[in-house]
């Protein structure tokens, strides 16, 4: 029998999850103001963004295992409380280090919430309603990302109570309190009776490997790229290989799998992970350097920057309803086209950036942003649907966690690589020259994602089929 309050529960859970969805974009607009107020270096700005995504990537899969075993509602509510507390700490931060530490906790808390939402939806909704529920979640996800761009500018510019950029974090506190009470009342407790024990050792190794790879990329420029940094990065890659070997041996144990290594044997899935990684790296790297260039370099207000970013969202909304149906018909060609359009759009922004003066209007870069947004909808919306068409159904449920991990890890690495190119060039050059130096890496990443998409299946699963997995 279906849970009678399932739609109310869905609204409450999505409302709470919007804190995470908005936080991914709201902070980008506030970064230049944070830099001026706290005296943060370019590397510290990269950490403000990357720390959140790295913590999310490290905790996501094991958090899902905890929810299956201990109760999804319990972990979800705990994630809300922790996210609210971390947001308060971020808003009160008096130094870049304090803000980065709060962002780590925010990322871990978000990782605790998202798998519980997806797992709960699969339990409380019957098969014929599941597609609508996930569709609603996806639509709000896109809206929240766009809303975050404008909200970050409005809150920072408004300077409510003299809080400035701190408002983008403080706003999460009342949302968390309301969500906490509502979730406790209407979200049902669900478990997975077949769930194994969470792999805490594997989770620790995954977190250590992720940090070992990301730390040298984020700090290497400031440290002069010492030899030990390359050694640490190699050790991180080796840690992932070791973790994969251990997980392979544990496939039949009572420990919940952290990495489903069997999926990596499917070429389409492996290629899909790399597409996700490259795409996310380009997107997050671009968002960082574009925000700094537009505000610190060109003198735009936070609100002006947020409204300029909105052109990207407008482009993505234009084809969003058609993305999955097109992928069902044309499959990988749609994703490859999306990667190409994002690359061409970024080239358009690079060319247009030379025609934007200090404090002038942003129109020279708007066409490129819109074109990139169109490419975004064709690339990311149907990606999982295309990949799952080649994955055995009995293991398809574990694909989502690995895809989300690749998305967050790719974003953090993109911020490190593109940000390093931008800030290293900034020393003796203008902001526009530095932007033109870093942005071609974004173009290369989008082209790589589009090219790798040609390895994916020819057709995609429909939304209803994906929701039933």
């Amino acid at each position: 029998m279906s849970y009678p309050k399932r739609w109310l529960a869905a609204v409450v859970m999505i409302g709470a999850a919007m804190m995470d969805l908005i936080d991914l974009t709201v902070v980008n607009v506030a970064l230049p103001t944070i830099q001026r107020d706290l005296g943060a270096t370019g590397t510290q700005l990269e950490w403000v963004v990357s720390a959140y995504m790295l913590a999310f990537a490290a905790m996501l899969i094991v958090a899902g295992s905890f929810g299956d075993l201990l109760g999804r509602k319990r972990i979800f509510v705990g994630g809300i409380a922790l996210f609210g507390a971390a947001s308060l700490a971020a808003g009160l931060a008096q130094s870049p280090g304090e803000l980065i530490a709060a962002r780590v906790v925010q990322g871990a808390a978000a990782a605790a919430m998202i798998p519980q939402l997806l797992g709960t939806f699969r339990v409380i909704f019957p098969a014929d309603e599941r597609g609508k529920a996930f569709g609603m979640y996806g639509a709000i996800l896109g809206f929240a990302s766009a809303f975050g761009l404008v909200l970050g500018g409005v809150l920072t510019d408004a300077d409510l109570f003299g809080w400035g950029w701190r408002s983008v974090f403080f706003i999460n506190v009342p949302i968390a309190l309301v969500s906490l009470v509502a979730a406790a009342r209407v979200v049902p407790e669900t478990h997975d009776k077949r769930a194994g024990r969470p792999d805490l050792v594997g989770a620790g190794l995954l977190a250590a490997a992720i940090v070992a790879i990301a730390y040298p990329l984020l700090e290497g420029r400031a440290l002069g790229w010492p030899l030990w940094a390359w050694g640490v990065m190699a050790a991180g890659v080796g840690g992932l290989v070791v973790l994969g070997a251990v997980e392979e041996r544990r496939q039949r144990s009572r420990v919940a799998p952290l990495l489903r290594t069997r999926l990596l044997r499917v070429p389409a899935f492996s290629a899909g992970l790399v597409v996700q990684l490259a795409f996310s790296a380009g997107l997050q790297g671009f968002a960082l350097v574009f925000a700094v260039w537009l505000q610190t370099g060109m003198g735009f207000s936070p609100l002006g920057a947020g409204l300029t970013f909105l052109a990207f969202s407008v482009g993505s909304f234009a084809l969003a309803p058609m993305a999955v149906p097109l992928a069902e018909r044309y499959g990988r060609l749609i994703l490859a086209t999306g990667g190409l359009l994002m690359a061409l759009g970024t080239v358009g922004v690079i060319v247009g950036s030379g025609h934007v003066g200090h404090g002038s209007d942003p129109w020279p870069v708007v066409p490129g942003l819109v074109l990139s947004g169109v490419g975004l909808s064709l690339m990311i919306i149907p990606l999982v649907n295309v990949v799952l068409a080649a994955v055995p159904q009995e293991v398809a449920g574990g694909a989502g966690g690995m895809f989300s991990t690749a998305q967050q890890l790719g974003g953090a690495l993109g911020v490190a690589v593109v940000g390093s190119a931008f800030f290293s060039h900034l020393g003796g050059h203008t902001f526009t020259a530095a932007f033109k130096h870093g942005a071609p890496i974004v173009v290369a990443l989008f082209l790589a994602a589009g090219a790798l998409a040609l390895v994916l299946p020819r057709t995609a699963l429909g939304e209803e089929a994906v929701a039933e997995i």
Side-chain angles (χ1 to χ4, degrees):
M1 183 177 178
S2 301
Y3 178 59
K5 297 181 180 179
R6 57 190 179 278
W7 287 107
L8 181 58
V11 170
V12 169
M13 296 188 82
I14 292 174
M18 278 185 67
M19 291 189 295
D20 162 55
L21 304 176
I22 291 174
D23 233 61
L24 289 173
T25 53
V26 71
V27 173
N28 280 324
V29 178
L31 283 175
T33 310
I34 292 173
Q35 184 178 32
R36 289 194 299 271
D37 190 32
L38 297 183
T41 65
T43 299
Q44 287 170 329
L45 278 192
E46 293 171 33
W47 274 112
V48 169
V49 178
S50 294
Y52 183 97
M53 292 186 285
L54 291 173
F56 194 112
M59 294 299 298
L60 180 69
I61 298 177
V62 73
S65 298
F66 270 112
D68 292 341
L69 183 67
L70 302 177
R72 298 186 181 100
K73 175 181 178 178
R74 182 178 302 174
I75 302 300
F76 185 78
V77 169
I80 294 174
L82 187 61
F83 197 96
S87 297
L88 179 62
L92 295 173
Q94 298 299 310
S95 69
E98 291 178 7
L99 178 56
I100 292 166
R103 292 285 286 167
V104 170
V105 181
Q106 271 192 317
M113 289 191 289
I114 301 304
Q116 318 319 326
L117 180 150
L118 300 175
T120 300
F121 276 21
R122 294 191 185 280
V123 173
I124 66 175
F125 284 102
D128 61 337
E129 292 182 350
R130 209 171 291 152
K132 296 177 182 178
F134 282 113
M136 180 175 72
Y137 174 62
I140 292 177
L141 185 150
F143 166 78
S145 299
F147 180 65
L149 293 171
V150 179
L151 182 65
V154 169
L155 290 175
T156 305
D157 265 359
D159 196 21
L160 298 174
F161 309 108
W163 290 343
W165 60 268
R166 299 176 190 276
S167 300
V168 305
F169 297 111
F170 286 150
I171 194 173
N172 288 328
V173 177
I175 296 175
L177 290 173
V178 172
S179 299
L180 201 60
V181 174
R185 292 190 174 187
V186 304
V187 175
E189 185 61 278
T190 61
H191 301 77
D192 184 351
K193 296 179 180 179
R194 301 167 298 172
R197 300 189 310 274
D199 186 0
L200 297 180
V201 175
L205 180 57
L206 176 63
I210 287 175
V211 172
I213 294 171
Y215 184 83
L217 289 174
L218 287 162
E219 294 287 348
R221 174 181 58 84
L223 297 174
W225 296 105
L227 184 61
W228 63 262
W230 298 102
V232 170
M233 197 184 307
V237 174
L240 291 179
V241 173
V242 170
L243 179 59
V246 171
E247 290 291 313
E248 181 74 20
R249 295 181 180 181
R250 281 184 170 179
Q251 291 292 335
R252 297 183 180 180
S253 71
R254 298 189 63 184
V255 177
L258 192 66
L259 299 177
R260 298 178 184 267
T261 52
R262 280 190 295 168
L263 288 170
L264 299 177
R265 299 174 188 170
V266 180
F269 182 80
S270 298
L273 278 184
V274 180
V275 169
Q276 180 81 297
L277 195 89
F279 162 81
S280 300
L283 184 63
Q284 295 299 332
F286 176 81
L288 171 72
V289 300
F290 187 75
V292 175
W293 166 74
L294 199 59
Q295 293 183 65
T296 307
M298 297 295 102
F300 279 60
S301 68
L303 179 57
L307 292 174
T308 303
F309 264 120
L310 204 57
F312 184 84
S313 299
V314 169
S316 67
F317 287 148
L319 285 185
M322 303 167 57
V324 172
L326 284 171
E328 289 181 57
R329 184 171 182 179
Y330 300 106
R332 61 193 179 194
L333 293 178
I334 294 302
L335 274 70
T337 301
L340 178 61
L341 290 178
M342 291 200 75
L344 291 175
T346 305
V347 171
V349 174
I350 294 172
V351 173
S353 66
H355 300 281
V356 176
H358 192 278
S360 67
D361 65 71
W363 290 110
V365 299
V366 168
L369 290 172
V370 173
L371 185 61
S372 289
V374 172
L376 167 75
S377 63
L378 297 180
M379 167 64 74
I380 198 61
I381 294 176
L383 177 59
V384 173
N385 300 54
V386 171
V387 173
L388 289 182
V391 173
Q393 187 164 355
E394 64 270 16
V395 294
M402 293 181 69
F403 258 81
S404 295
T405 299
Q407 178 184 14
Q408 300 296 328
L409 178 58
L413 298 180
V415 165
V417 174
V418 180
S420 292
F422 174 81
F423 288 112
S424 64
H425 202 70
L426 194 56
H429 301 83
T430 65
F431 276 88
T432 298
F435 177 71
K436 290 183 176 181
H437 183 74
I441 300 175
V442 176
V443 175
L445 288 167
F446 289 152
L447 286 176
L452 284 166
L454 295 175
V455 181
L456 300 177
R458 294 179 182 275
T459 57
L461 295 180
E463 294 285 22
E464 292 79 10
V466 172
E468 290 176 7
I469 291 175

